[in-house]
Amino acid sequence: MRLQEHIVSTPSGTGSAGPAKVRIRHLQDAKERGRPFSMLTAYDQFSAQAFEAAGIDVLLVGDSVGTTVLGHDSTTATTHQDMLTFTGAVARSVHRPLIVADLAFGTYETGPADAVRHGVELIRAGAEMIKLEGGHAIVPQIQALTQAGIPVMGHLGFTPQSVNSLSGHRVQGRDAAAADQLAEDAVALQEAGASAIVLELVPAQVAARITEVVHVPTVGIGAGPSCDGQVLVWQDMAGMSGFHGKFVKAFGDLRADLQRAAAQYRDEVTERSYPGPEHSFD
Ligand code: KIV
């Protein structure tokens, strides 16, 4: 069987390993074959390695690192240097997943030359594809990036870097005109050269329509089941963040597990039962 026939997101336990390295063409193949692929954010070595071992196809070093790791309350605070640091950490730690990194707020809105300069630095840090937020307004940036040989993932719907102009975290594209605009933006990103498009906080039927209209894969977050792939912030997926938005399913209870382990450690230290003789040197 050819590698492409295994494609991505082979259910765990089937014994089918999938491609040795996930490439953009595998995501395209997945769309054409109607086989959804999985994407999670990742920011550090051990979580990235756990996601690779679980068979996650795409790791997104999201600018959400600012709100999930660095303690900011908006991704607008995440810097380009943050993105370089965390992209490098993930890229050095895994082999199989496709690695996508975000262009930070303020590094591409100023024009195509800035987008390419910062995109090149992210690729040098280990990214294999660059994600940036916005519709028609960033078409010149996407054209410049793809002409420079940098693959692009677009991001439409709720775009967190625009949280202030969008007046908070709100579902986008609810009325007919806004839905039409989203579909037009998606086509514009594709025509500009984007190889995939994230759709965030978009009504399920609007995301389904866009997924039908564009030939590149869509990746949904709060965009219903019809997208070609799905993405979640890993701390939401694993029950670490405590965020219970409607679109989130916690597949674990990591925060409670960690708290239990830390409390047991504290108890054993205060009772002098840890470290025991087996943890001590003669
Ligand atoms: O930065 C991020 O985590 C993202 C996802 C929400 C898609 O852009």
Side-chain angles (χ1 to χ4, degrees), residues 101-123:
D102 268 330
L103 276 173
F105 178 62
T107 64
Y108 59 97
E109 301 84 340
T110 40
D114 281 346
V116 171
R117 182 164 57 85
H118 291 109
V120 164
E121 287 174 2
L122 284 174
I123 296 286

Side-chain angles (χ1 to χ4, degrees), residues 26-281:
H26 293 118
L27 307 187
Q28 189 65 46
D29 284 353
K31 178 180 180 100
E32 284 158 21
R33 288 161 193 254
R35 297 187 56 177
F37 59 87
S38 55
M39 170 161 140
L40 276 178
T41 63
Y43 319 102
D44 72 280
Q45 177 180 349
F46 296 141
S47 60
Q49 288 171 346
F51 304 150
E52 175 175 52
I56 299 297
D57 304 304
V58 187
L59 296 184
L60 169 65
V61 187
D63 59 353
S64 51
V65 69
T67 55
T68 57
V69 175
L70 297 175
H72 298 299
D73 58 11
S74 165
T75 58
T76 54
T78 306
T79 66
H80 182 56
Q81 185 54 54
D82 295 333
M83 293 309 307
L84 293 176
T85 301
F86 290 98
T87 299
V90 171
R92 286 189 293 274
S93 305
V94 297
H95 305 287
R96 181 182 177 275
L98 179 72
I99 296 175
V100 184
D102 268 330
L103 276 173
F105 178 62
T107 64
Y108 59 97
E109 301 84 340
T110 40
D114 281 346
V116 171
R117 182 164 57 85
H118 291 109
V120 164
E121 287 174 2
L122 284 174
I123 296 286
R124 285 209 179 108
E128 296 161 327
M129 190 177 199
I130 302 303
K131 181 165 79 60
L132 60 170
E133 300 181 3
H136 278 89
I138 59 156
V139 158
Q141 283 86 332
I142 295 178
Q143 287 169 334
L145 283 161
T146 52
Q147 279 161 20
I150 300 174
V152 169
M153 181 176 279
H155 187 155
L156 292 172
F158 175 71
T159 44
Q161 293 175 5
S162 305
V163 63
N164 297 319
S165 38
L166 294 174
S167 297
H169 293 71
R170 297 150 65 94
V171 175
Q172 304 294 308
R174 277 202 191 277
D175 62 59
D180 288 349
Q181 182 63 58
L182 273 179
E184 279 173 30
D185 279 339
V187 171
L189 297 190
Q190 168 182 275
E191 298 306 313
S195 306
I197 303 172
V198 167
L199 299 174
E200 179 165 357
L201 294 188
V202 170
Q205 69 278 13
V206 175
R209 171 182 158 198
I210 294 172
T211 301
E212 184 92 25
V213 165
V214 295
H215 60 72
V216 296
T218 59
V219 192
I221 173 164
S226 302
C227 292
D228 301 302
Q230 294 290 331
V231 58
L232 281 177
V233 168
W234 85 255
Q235 292 92 340
D236 299 340
M237 180 280 300
M240 180 70 177
S241 64
F243 175 62
H244 302 296
K246 180 172 164 65
F247 63 93
V248 170
K249 176 174 173 184
F251 292 82
D253 199 3
L254 212 57
R255 194 182 186 111
D257 290 346
L258 194 56
Q259 190 174 323
R260 253 191 305 275
Q264 187 175 340
Y265 165 72
R266 180 210 56 205
D267 289 349
E268 293 191 19
V269 166
T270 52
E271 290 160 1
R272 288 197 196 281
S273 56
Y274 174 83
E278 69 276 31
H279 306 116
S280 305
F281 300 100

